[in-house]
Amino acid sequence: MSATPFPAAPVLQLNNVALAVADLDHMIGWYQNVLGLRVEERGHFDPVDADFAMLTGEGFRLELVSRKGGEHRPADRSAPPQHLHALGWKAIVLESSDLASTTATLVAHGVEIVWAEQRLTPTLASTMVRDPEGNLINIFGKLA
C-alpha cells in the first residue's frame, strides 16, 4: 500500500462498542443479570430515532441501541470457524481471571454455550456464548 499525501487521524481511543438489538429492555436485563454490567445512561438519539443504553463493565462500555419499526436482521448464527466467513465484527471479547467460575455461572444462567473452556493456545482458553439475540461473546482466561 502506498503512502497517502494526507496524515493519519489524530490519536483516537475507544469510546464504546455499539450493538443494535431488537428488544432493548430485555437485552439490558440480560447484560446486567448475566454479565454484571451496569447502566450508565439511557436516552434517545433523535437523528436516528433510536433508544439507547450505555452499559459499563470493568474497563469497557457497551452501547445497546434499538430502533422501533424497522426490519431487524438476525445475527449471523454460523458456528465457529464458519462464522469467520461472514465479514464484519465477530464477537465482544472479554477476559476473566477465573474462566472456570465464569463458565459455571453462565451455565447456571442457562446461557447458550458455543464452547466451554476451549483451549486456544498453550496458555489461553475461552468460553464462547451467545446473548439472547444470537450475538457472540467470547470470554478468554488463562489456563491453570
Side-chain angles (χ1 to χ4, degrees):
M1 177 178 237
S2 63
T4 67
F6 305 106
V11 176
L12 302 172
Q13 70 179 42
L14 182 65
N15 181 283
N16 65 272
V17 174
L19 179 62
V21 300
D23 187 336
L24 184 61
D25 289 330
H26 180 70
M27 295 297 278
I28 290 169
W30 189 87
Y31 278 91
Q32 284 180 306
N33 296 328
V34 175
L35 297 186
L37 303 186
R38 299 167 305 281
V39 175
E40 177 181 283
E41 180 181 2
R42 280 193 78 161
H44 186 81
F45 293 131
D46 290 330
V48 293
D49 192 26
D51 294 322
F52 75 92
M54 189 66 70
L55 307 178
T56 59
E58 295 304 315
F60 74 97
R61 295 177 350 139
L62 175 64
E63 175 187 341
L64 301 179
V65 62
S66 185
R67 189 166 185 265
K68 302 219 183 316
E71 176 188 343
H72 293 105
R73 294 185 199 131
D76 174 26
R77 294 191 64 87
S78 301
Q82 286 75 24
H83 75 299
L84 298 176
H85 292 277
L87 301 180
W89 303 106
K90 295 291 104 187
I92 296 171
V93 181
L94 305 173
E95 186 173 345
S96 173
S97 61
D98 186 345
L99 187 59
S101 292
T102 298
T103 302
T105 298
L106 295 169
V107 168
H109 277 281
V111 172
E112 180 182 346
I113 305 289
V114 176
W115 65 48
E117 300 178 62
Q118 173 72 42
R119 183 184 193 111
L120 302 175
T121 72
T123 60
L124 185 66
S126 84
T127 293
M128 185 181 288
V129 302
R130 290 192 185 273
D131 72 14
E133 292 188 2
N135 302 293
L136 287 172
I137 301 166
N138 200 3
I139 304 170
F140 286 180
K142 292 190 183 349
L143 287 169

Short mmCIF file of all heavy atoms in Angstrom, two decimals, residues 70-132:
data_model
loop_
_atom_site.label_atom_id
_atom_site.label_comp_id
_atom_site.label_asym_id
_atom_site.label_seq_id
_atom_site.Cartn_x
_atom_site.Cartn_y
_atom_site.Cartn_z
N GLY A 70 -38.37 -0.80 12.51
CA GLY A 70 -37.51 -1.21 11.40
C GLY A 70 -37.48 -2.72 11.27
O GLY A 70 -37.94 -3.46 12.14
N GLU A 71 -36.95 -3.18 10.15
CA GLU A 71 -36.76 -4.61 9.96
C GLU A 71 -35.48 -5.02 10.67
O GLU A 71 -34.41 -4.46 10.42
CB GLU A 71 -36.63 -4.93 8.46
CG GLU A 71 -36.34 -6.39 8.20
CD GLU A 71 -36.01 -6.66 6.74
OE1 GLU A 71 -36.31 -5.81 5.89
OE2 GLU A 71 -35.44 -7.72 6.47
N HIS A 72 -35.59 -5.94 11.60
CA HIS A 72 -34.41 -6.41 12.32
C HIS A 72 -33.87 -7.66 11.63
O HIS A 72 -34.59 -8.64 11.49
CB HIS A 72 -34.74 -6.71 13.78
CG HIS A 72 -35.08 -5.48 14.56
ND1 HIS A 72 -36.36 -5.17 14.92
CD2 HIS A 72 -34.31 -4.48 15.01
CE1 HIS A 72 -36.38 -4.03 15.58
NE2 HIS A 72 -35.14 -3.58 15.64
N ARG A 73 -32.61 -7.60 11.21
CA ARG A 73 -31.97 -8.77 10.62
C ARG A 73 -31.30 -9.54 11.75
O ARG A 73 -30.56 -8.97 12.55
CB ARG A 73 -30.92 -8.34 9.60
CG ARG A 73 -31.53 -7.66 8.42
CD ARG A 73 -30.47 -7.35 7.37
NE ARG A 73 -31.01 -6.32 6.49
CZ ARG A 73 -30.37 -5.23 6.14
NH1 ARG A 73 -29.16 -5.00 6.59
NH2 ARG A 73 -30.94 -4.35 5.35
N PRO A 74 -31.54 -10.84 11.82
CA PRO A 74 -30.95 -11.63 12.92
C PRO A 74 -29.43 -11.70 12.81
O PRO A 74 -28.86 -11.55 11.72
CB PRO A 74 -31.59 -13.01 12.75
CG PRO A 74 -32.06 -13.06 11.34
CD PRO A 74 -32.34 -11.65 10.92
N ALA A 75 -28.80 -11.94 13.93
CA ALA A 75 -27.35 -12.11 13.98
C ALA A 75 -26.95 -13.35 13.18
O ALA A 75 -27.72 -14.31 13.09
CB ALA A 75 -26.88 -12.26 15.43
N ASP A 76 -25.76 -13.33 12.61
CA ASP A 76 -25.22 -14.50 11.92
C ASP A 76 -24.98 -15.59 12.95
O ASP A 76 -24.25 -15.39 13.92
CB ASP A 76 -23.91 -14.13 11.22
CG ASP A 76 -23.22 -15.33 10.59
OD1 ASP A 76 -23.91 -16.31 10.25
OD2 ASP A 76 -21.98 -15.27 10.43
N ARG A 77 -25.64 -16.73 12.79
CA ARG A 77 -25.52 -17.81 13.77
C ARG A 77 -24.61 -18.94 13.28
O ARG A 77 -24.69 -20.06 13.78
CB ARG A 77 -26.90 -18.33 14.14
CG ARG A 77 -27.72 -17.26 14.88
CD ARG A 77 -28.98 -17.83 15.47
NE ARG A 77 -28.73 -18.81 16.49
CZ ARG A 77 -28.54 -18.58 17.78
NH1 ARG A 77 -28.55 -17.35 18.23
NH2 ARG A 77 -28.34 -19.56 18.62
N SER A 78 -23.74 -18.65 12.33
CA SER A 78 -22.79 -19.66 11.88
C SER A 78 -21.91 -20.09 13.04
O SER A 78 -21.43 -19.26 13.82
CB SER A 78 -21.90 -19.11 10.76
OG SER A 78 -22.67 -18.70 9.66
N ALA A 79 -21.69 -21.38 13.14
CA ALA A 79 -20.83 -21.90 14.21
C ALA A 79 -19.36 -21.69 13.84
O ALA A 79 -19.00 -21.74 12.67
CB ALA A 79 -21.10 -23.39 14.41
N PRO A 80 -18.52 -21.44 14.85
CA PRO A 80 -17.09 -21.34 14.58
C PRO A 80 -16.58 -22.66 13.98
O PRO A 80 -17.06 -23.70 14.37
CB PRO A 80 -16.48 -21.09 15.95
CG PRO A 80 -17.59 -20.48 16.74
CD PRO A 80 -18.84 -21.15 16.22
N PRO A 81 -15.69 -22.63 13.04
CA PRO A 81 -14.98 -21.49 12.49
C PRO A 81 -15.68 -20.83 11.30
O PRO A 81 -15.19 -19.86 10.76
CB PRO A 81 -13.64 -22.08 12.07
CG PRO A 81 -13.97 -23.47 11.63
CD PRO A 81 -15.09 -23.91 12.58
N GLN A 82 -16.84 -21.38 10.87
CA GLN A 82 -17.53 -20.80 9.72
C GLN A 82 -17.98 -19.36 9.96
O GLN A 82 -18.20 -18.63 9.00
CB GLN A 82 -18.74 -21.67 9.32
CG GLN A 82 -18.36 -22.96 8.63
CD GLN A 82 -17.81 -24.00 9.59
OE1 GLN A 82 -18.09 -23.98 10.78
NE2 GLN A 82 -17.00 -24.92 9.07
N HIS A 83 -18.11 -18.94 11.21
CA HIS A 83 -18.53 -17.57 11.49
C HIS A 83 -17.54 -16.55 10.92
O HIS A 83 -17.89 -15.40 10.69
CB HIS A 83 -18.73 -17.36 12.99
CG HIS A 83 -17.48 -17.26 13.80
ND1 HIS A 83 -16.55 -18.29 13.87
CD2 HIS A 83 -16.99 -16.28 14.57
CE1 HIS A 83 -15.54 -17.92 14.65
NE2 HIS A 83 -15.79 -16.70 15.09
N LEU A 84 -16.32 -16.98 10.65
CA LEU A 84 -15.31 -16.07 10.11
C LEU A 84 -15.47 -15.83 8.61
O LEU A 84 -14.81 -14.96 8.05
CB LEU A 84 -13.91 -16.61 10.40
CG LEU A 84 -13.57 -16.73 11.90
CD1 LEU A 84 -12.21 -17.37 12.08
CD2 LEU A 84 -13.67 -15.39 12.60
N HIS A 85 -16.37 -16.56 7.96
CA HIS A 85 -16.61 -16.36 6.53
C HIS A 85 -17.51 -15.16 6.26
O HIS A 85 -17.45 -14.59 5.17
CB HIS A 85 -17.20 -17.63 5.90
CG HIS A 85 -16.22 -18.76 5.87
ND1 HIS A 85 -15.27 -18.91 4.90
CD2 HIS A 85 -16.02 -19.78 6.74
CE1 HIS A 85 -14.53 -19.98 5.14
NE2 HIS A 85 -14.98 -20.52 6.26
N ALA A 86 -18.33 -14.77 7.21
CA ALA A 86 -19.14 -13.55 7.07
C ALA A 86 -18.29 -12.39 7.56
O ALA A 86 -17.77 -12.41 8.67
CB ALA A 86 -20.42 -13.65 7.90
N LEU A 87 -18.12 -11.39 6.71
CA LEU A 87 -17.27 -10.26 7.07
C LEU A 87 -17.94 -9.39 8.12
O LEU A 87 -19.16 -9.35 8.23
CB LEU A 87 -16.96 -9.43 5.82
CG LEU A 87 -16.25 -10.18 4.70
CD1 LEU A 87 -16.00 -9.24 3.53
CD2 LEU A 87 -14.95 -10.81 5.18
N GLY A 88 -17.14 -8.67 8.88
CA GLY A 88 -17.65 -7.74 9.88
C GLY A 88 -17.20 -8.13 11.27
O GLY A 88 -16.44 -9.07 11.48
N TRP A 89 -17.69 -7.37 12.25
CA TRP A 89 -17.34 -7.63 13.64
C TRP A 89 -17.84 -9.01 14.03
O TRP A 89 -18.92 -9.42 13.66
CB TRP A 89 -17.97 -6.58 14.55
CG TRP A 89 -17.59 -5.18 14.18
CD1 TRP A 89 -18.38 -4.26 13.56
CD2 TRP A 89 -16.33 -4.55 14.38
NE1 TRP A 89 -17.68 -3.09 13.36
CE2 TRP A 89 -16.41 -3.25 13.86
CE3 TRP A 89 -15.12 -4.97 14.94
CZ2 TRP A 89 -15.35 -2.36 13.89
CZ3 TRP A 89 -14.07 -4.07 14.97
CH2 TRP A 89 -14.18 -2.79 14.46
N LYS A 90 -17.06 -9.75 14.80
CA LYS A 90 -17.37 -11.14 15.11
C LYS A 90 -17.94 -11.34 16.50
O LYS A 90 -18.88 -12.11 16.67
CB LYS A 90 -16.09 -12.00 14.98
CG LYS A 90 -15.57 -12.08 13.59
CD LYS A 90 -16.49 -12.86 12.68
CE LYS A 90 -17.27 -12.00 11.78
NZ LYS A 90 -18.28 -12.58 10.97
N ALA A 91 -17.35 -10.73 17.50
CA ALA A 91 -17.76 -11.02 18.87
C ALA A 91 -17.31 -9.90 19.79
O ALA A 91 -16.35 -9.19 19.50
CB ALA A 91 -17.14 -12.34 19.35
N ILE A 92 -17.99 -9.78 20.90
CA ILE A 92 -17.48 -8.99 22.01
C ILE A 92 -16.53 -9.94 22.73
O ILE A 92 -16.91 -11.07 23.06
CB ILE A 92 -18.61 -8.54 22.94
CG1 ILE A 92 -19.56 -7.60 22.21
CG2 ILE A 92 -18.04 -7.88 24.20
CD1 ILE A 92 -20.81 -7.28 22.98
N VAL A 93 -15.31 -9.53 22.96
CA VAL A 93 -14.32 -10.40 23.59
C VAL A 93 -13.97 -9.81 24.96
O VAL A 93 -13.54 -8.66 25.06
CB VAL A 93 -13.06 -10.55 22.72
CG1 VAL A 93 -12.06 -11.47 23.40
CG2 VAL A 93 -13.44 -11.08 21.33
N LEU A 94 -14.20 -10.60 25.99
CA LEU A 94 -13.94 -10.19 27.37
C LEU A 94 -12.87 -11.09 27.95
O LEU A 94 -12.48 -12.10 27.35
CB LEU A 94 -15.23 -10.28 28.19
CG LEU A 94 -16.43 -9.50 27.63
CD1 LEU A 94 -17.68 -9.80 28.43
CD2 LEU A 94 -16.13 -8.02 27.61
N GLU A 95 -12.40 -10.77 29.13
CA GLU A 95 -11.40 -11.57 29.81
C GLU A 95 -11.85 -11.83 31.24
O GLU A 95 -12.40 -10.95 31.89
CB GLU A 95 -10.05 -10.84 29.81
CG GLU A 95 -8.91 -11.66 30.36
CD GLU A 95 -7.56 -10.98 30.19
OE1 GLU A 95 -7.46 -10.01 29.43
OE2 GLU A 95 -6.63 -11.43 30.86
N SER A 96 -11.60 -13.05 31.70
CA SER A 96 -11.95 -13.43 33.06
C SER A 96 -10.70 -13.90 33.80
O SER A 96 -9.86 -14.60 33.23
CB SER A 96 -12.97 -14.58 33.05
OG SER A 96 -13.19 -15.07 34.36
N SER A 97 -10.59 -13.52 35.07
CA SER A 97 -9.48 -14.00 35.88
C SER A 97 -9.74 -15.42 36.38
O SER A 97 -8.84 -16.08 36.88
CB SER A 97 -9.24 -13.06 37.07
OG SER A 97 -10.40 -13.02 37.88
N ASP A 98 -10.98 -15.92 36.24
CA ASP A 98 -11.34 -17.28 36.65
C ASP A 98 -12.36 -17.83 35.65
O ASP A 98 -13.57 -17.77 35.86
CB ASP A 98 -11.91 -17.26 38.07
CG ASP A 98 -12.19 -18.64 38.63
OD1 ASP A 98 -12.21 -19.62 37.85
OD2 ASP A 98 -12.40 -18.74 39.85
N LEU A 99 -11.84 -18.35 34.54
CA LEU A 99 -12.71 -18.80 33.46
C LEU A 99 -13.62 -19.95 33.88
O LEU A 99 -14.78 -19.98 33.48
CB LEU A 99 -11.87 -19.21 32.24
CG LEU A 99 -12.65 -19.54 30.98
CD1 LEU A 99 -13.51 -18.36 30.52
CD2 LEU A 99 -11.71 -20.00 29.87
N ALA A 100 -13.14 -20.85 34.71
CA ALA A 100 -13.97 -21.97 35.15
C ALA A 100 -15.19 -21.48 35.93
O ALA A 100 -16.32 -21.93 35.69
CB ALA A 100 -13.15 -22.95 36.00
N SER A 101 -15.01 -20.54 36.85
CA SER A 101 -16.13 -19.99 37.61
C SER A 101 -17.07 -19.19 36.72
O SER A 101 -18.29 -19.27 36.86
CB SER A 101 -15.64 -19.10 38.75
OG SER A 101 -14.98 -19.87 39.72
N THR A 102 -16.50 -18.42 35.79
CA THR A 102 -17.33 -17.65 34.86
C THR A 102 -18.17 -18.60 34.02
O THR A 102 -19.37 -18.38 33.84
CB THR A 102 -16.44 -16.77 33.95
OG1 THR A 102 -15.73 -15.85 34.78
CG2 THR A 102 -17.27 -16.01 32.93
N THR A 103 -17.58 -19.66 33.52
CA THR A 103 -18.31 -20.64 32.71
C THR A 103 -19.42 -21.28 33.53
O THR A 103 -20.55 -21.42 33.05
CB THR A 103 -17.34 -21.70 32.16
OG1 THR A 103 -16.33 -21.04 31.38
CG2 THR A 103 -18.06 -22.72 31.29
N ALA A 104 -19.13 -21.66 34.76
CA ALA A 104 -20.15 -22.27 35.63
C ALA A 104 -21.32 -21.30 35.86
O ALA A 104 -22.48 -21.71 35.85
CB ALA A 104 -19.53 -22.68 36.96
N THR A 105 -21.03 -20.03 36.03
CA THR A 105 -22.08 -19.02 36.21
C THR A 105 -22.94 -18.91 34.96
O THR A 105 -24.17 -18.85 35.04
CB THR A 105 -21.46 -17.66 36.55
OG1 THR A 105 -20.75 -17.77 37.78
CG2 THR A 105 -22.52 -16.57 36.67
N LEU A 106 -22.31 -18.90 33.80
CA LEU A 106 -23.05 -18.81 32.54
C LEU A 106 -23.95 -20.03 32.36
O LEU A 106 -25.10 -19.90 31.95
CB LEU A 106 -22.08 -18.66 31.37
CG LEU A 106 -21.26 -17.37 31.36
CD1 LEU A 106 -20.15 -17.44 30.32
CD2 LEU A 106 -22.14 -16.16 31.14
N VAL A 107 -23.45 -21.20 32.68
CA VAL A 107 -24.24 -22.43 32.60
C VAL A 107 -25.43 -22.35 33.54
O VAL A 107 -26.57 -22.68 33.18
CB VAL A 107 -23.37 -23.67 32.88
CG1 VAL A 107 -24.22 -24.92 33.07
CG2 VAL A 107 -22.37 -23.89 31.74
N ALA A 108 -25.20 -21.87 34.77
CA ALA A 108 -26.27 -21.75 35.76
C ALA A 108 -27.37 -20.79 35.28
O ALA A 108 -28.55 -20.98 35.60
CB ALA A 108 -25.71 -21.28 37.10
N HIS A 109 -27.00 -19.78 34.50
CA HIS A 109 -27.98 -18.84 33.95
C HIS A 109 -28.68 -19.39 32.71
O HIS A 109 -29.56 -18.72 32.16
CB HIS A 109 -27.29 -17.51 33.58
CG HIS A 109 -27.11 -16.58 34.73
ND1 HIS A 109 -28.13 -15.79 35.22
CD2 HIS A 109 -26.02 -16.27 35.48
CE1 HIS A 109 -27.68 -15.06 36.23
NE2 HIS A 109 -26.41 -15.33 36.41
N GLY A 110 -28.27 -20.56 32.25
CA GLY A 110 -28.89 -21.14 31.06
C GLY A 110 -28.48 -20.48 29.76
O GLY A 110 -29.21 -20.54 28.77
N VAL A 111 -27.32 -19.85 29.75
CA VAL A 111 -26.82 -19.16 28.56
C VAL A 111 -26.48 -20.18 27.48
O VAL A 111 -25.99 -21.27 27.76
CB VAL A 111 -25.57 -18.31 28.93
CG1 VAL A 111 -24.90 -17.73 27.71
CG2 VAL A 111 -25.97 -17.21 29.90
N GLU A 112 -26.73 -19.81 26.22
CA GLU A 112 -26.38 -20.68 25.10
C GLU A 112 -24.85 -20.73 24.98
O GLU A 112 -24.21 -19.72 24.69
CB GLU A 112 -26.99 -20.15 23.80
CG GLU A 112 -26.67 -20.99 22.59
CD GLU A 112 -27.23 -20.44 21.30
OE1 GLU A 112 -28.10 -19.55 21.32
OE2 GLU A 112 -26.78 -20.92 20.24
N ILE A 113 -24.30 -21.91 25.19
CA ILE A 113 -22.85 -22.12 25.14
C ILE A 113 -22.46 -22.61 23.74
O ILE A 113 -23.00 -23.59 23.25
CB ILE A 113 -22.40 -23.16 26.20
CG1 ILE A 113 -22.88 -22.78 27.60
CG2 ILE A 113 -20.89 -23.39 26.13
CD1 ILE A 113 -22.19 -21.60 28.24
N VAL A 114 -21.52 -21.93 23.11
CA VAL A 114 -20.97 -22.37 21.83
C VAL A 114 -19.85 -23.37 22.11
O VAL A 114 -19.78 -24.42 21.50
CB VAL A 114 -20.47 -21.18 20.99
CG1 VAL A 114 -19.80 -21.64 19.71
CG2 VAL A 114 -21.62 -20.22 20.69
N TRP A 115 -18.95 -23.00 23.03
CA TRP A 115 -17.95 -23.94 23.56
C TRP A 115 -17.56 -23.47 24.94
O TRP A 115 -17.69 -22.30 25.28
CB TRP A 115 -16.75 -24.12 22.65
CG TRP A 115 -15.85 -22.93 22.42
CD1 TRP A 115 -15.32 -22.07 23.36
CD2 TRP A 115 -15.34 -22.49 21.17
NE1 TRP A 115 -14.53 -21.13 22.76
CE2 TRP A 115 -14.52 -21.37 21.42
CE3 TRP A 115 -15.49 -22.94 19.87
CZ2 TRP A 115 -13.86 -20.70 20.40
CZ3 TRP A 115 -14.81 -22.26 18.86
CH2 TRP A 115 -14.02 -21.16 19.13
N ALA A 116 -17.12 -24.42 25.75
CA ALA A 116 -16.76 -24.12 27.14
C ALA A 116 -15.30 -24.46 27.39
O ALA A 116 -14.87 -25.58 27.11
CB ALA A 116 -17.65 -24.90 28.10
N GLU A 117 -14.58 -23.48 27.88
CA GLU A 117 -13.17 -23.64 28.27
C GLU A 117 -12.36 -24.34 27.19
O GLU A 117 -11.58 -25.25 27.45
CB GLU A 117 -13.08 -24.34 29.62
CG GLU A 117 -13.78 -23.55 30.72
CD GLU A 117 -13.77 -24.23 32.07
OE1 GLU A 117 -12.65 -24.44 32.59
OE2 GLU A 117 -14.85 -24.55 32.57
N GLN A 118 -12.54 -23.88 25.96
CA GLN A 118 -11.84 -24.42 24.79
C GLN A 118 -10.40 -23.92 24.81
O GLN A 118 -10.15 -22.72 24.85
CB GLN A 118 -12.53 -23.94 23.52
CG GLN A 118 -11.81 -24.28 22.24
CD GLN A 118 -11.89 -25.74 21.91
OE1 GLN A 118 -12.92 -26.36 22.08
NE2 GLN A 118 -10.77 -26.31 21.49
N ARG A 119 -9.44 -24.84 24.77
CA ARG A 119 -8.02 -24.47 24.72
C ARG A 119 -7.72 -23.82 23.38
O ARG A 119 -7.99 -24.40 22.33
CB ARG A 119 -7.16 -25.70 24.95
CG ARG A 119 -5.70 -25.41 25.00
CD ARG A 119 -4.90 -26.71 25.12
NE ARG A 119 -3.56 -26.40 25.48
CZ ARG A 119 -3.02 -26.67 26.65
NH1 ARG A 119 -3.71 -27.30 27.56
NH2 ARG A 119 -1.78 -26.33 26.90
N LEU A 120 -7.16 -22.62 23.39
CA LEU A 120 -6.82 -21.89 22.17
C LEU A 120 -5.33 -21.89 21.88
O LEU A 120 -4.92 -21.97 20.73
CB LEU A 120 -7.31 -20.44 22.27
CG LEU A 120 -8.82 -20.25 22.49
CD1 LEU A 120 -9.13 -18.78 22.69
CD2 LEU A 120 -9.62 -20.83 21.34
N THR A 121 -4.55 -21.74 22.95
CA THR A 121 -3.08 -21.75 22.87
C THR A 121 -2.60 -22.54 24.09
O THR A 121 -3.41 -22.92 24.94
CB THR A 121 -2.49 -20.32 22.91
OG1 THR A 121 -2.64 -19.80 24.23
CG2 THR A 121 -3.16 -19.39 21.89
N PRO A 122 -1.30 -22.74 24.22
CA PRO A 122 -0.83 -23.45 25.42
C PRO A 122 -1.17 -22.75 26.74
O PRO A 122 -1.21 -23.38 27.79
CB PRO A 122 0.68 -23.52 25.22
CG PRO A 122 0.86 -23.49 23.73
CD PRO A 122 -0.23 -22.57 23.23
N THR A 123 -1.46 -21.45 26.71
CA THR A 123 -1.72 -20.73 27.95
C THR A 123 -3.09 -20.06 28.01
O THR A 123 -3.41 -19.42 29.00
CB THR A 123 -0.65 -19.64 28.17
OG1 THR A 123 -0.69 -18.72 27.08
CG2 THR A 123 0.74 -20.24 28.30
N LEU A 124 -3.91 -20.20 26.96
CA LEU A 124 -5.15 -19.45 26.86
C LEU A 124 -6.32 -20.36 26.46
O LEU A 124 -6.18 -21.18 25.56
CB LEU A 124 -4.99 -18.33 25.83
CG LEU A 124 -6.13 -17.34 25.65
CD1 LEU A 124 -6.31 -16.48 26.90
CD2 LEU A 124 -5.85 -16.45 24.44
N ALA A 125 -7.45 -20.17 27.14
CA ALA A 125 -8.69 -20.88 26.80
C ALA A 125 -9.80 -19.85 26.69
O ALA A 125 -9.65 -18.70 27.11
CB ALA A 125 -9.03 -21.91 27.88
N SER A 126 -10.94 -20.28 26.14
CA SER A 126 -12.08 -19.37 26.08
C SER A 126 -13.38 -20.14 26.18
O SER A 126 -13.46 -21.32 25.83
CB SER A 126 -12.07 -18.53 24.80
OG SER A 126 -12.64 -19.23 23.71
N THR A 127 -14.37 -19.42 26.68
CA THR A 127 -15.75 -19.89 26.67
C THR A 127 -16.50 -18.91 25.78
O THR A 127 -16.47 -17.70 26.01
CB THR A 127 -16.34 -19.92 28.09
OG1 THR A 127 -15.66 -20.93 28.84
CG2 THR A 127 -17.83 -20.21 28.06
N MET A 128 -17.13 -19.47 24.73
CA MET A 128 -17.87 -18.64 23.80
C MET A 128 -19.36 -18.91 23.98
O MET A 128 -19.78 -20.06 24.05
CB MET A 128 -17.46 -18.92 22.35
CG MET A 128 -18.13 -17.99 21.35
SD MET A 128 -17.66 -18.33 19.63
CE MET A 128 -15.98 -17.72 19.63
N VAL A 129 -20.13 -17.82 24.08
CA VAL A 129 -21.58 -17.92 24.30
C VAL A 129 -22.30 -17.00 23.33
O VAL A 129 -21.68 -16.20 22.64
CB VAL A 129 -21.95 -17.57 25.76
CG1 VAL A 129 -21.23 -18.48 26.75
CG2 VAL A 129 -21.65 -16.10 26.07
N ARG A 130 -23.62 -17.13 23.33
CA ARG A 130 -24.46 -16.20 22.57
C ARG A 130 -25.41 -15.50 23.53
O ARG A 130 -25.92 -16.12 24.46
CB ARG A 130 -25.28 -16.94 21.51
CG ARG A 130 -24.43 -17.47 20.37
CD ARG A 130 -25.27 -17.94 19.22
NE ARG A 130 -24.46 -18.55 18.18
CZ ARG A 130 -23.87 -17.90 17.19
NH1 ARG A 130 -24.00 -16.59 17.09
NH2 ARG A 130 -23.16 -18.54 16.29
N ASP A 131 -25.65 -14.20 23.28
CA ASP A 131 -26.66 -13.50 24.06
C ASP A 131 -28.03 -13.91 23.53
O ASP A 131 -28.12 -14.68 22.56
CB ASP A 131 -26.41 -11.98 24.04
CG ASP A 131 -26.72 -11.28 22.73
OD1 ASP A 131 -27.37 -11.87 21.84
OD2 ASP A 131 -26.30 -10.11 22.58
N PRO A 132 -29.13 -13.45 24.13
CA PRO A 132 -30.46 -13.89 23.70
C PRO A 132 -30.81 -13.59 22.24
O PRO A 132 -31.70 -14.23 21.68
CB PRO A 132 -31.40 -13.14 24.64
CG PRO A 132 -30.60 -12.87 25.85
CD PRO A 132 -29.21 -12.63 25.35
#
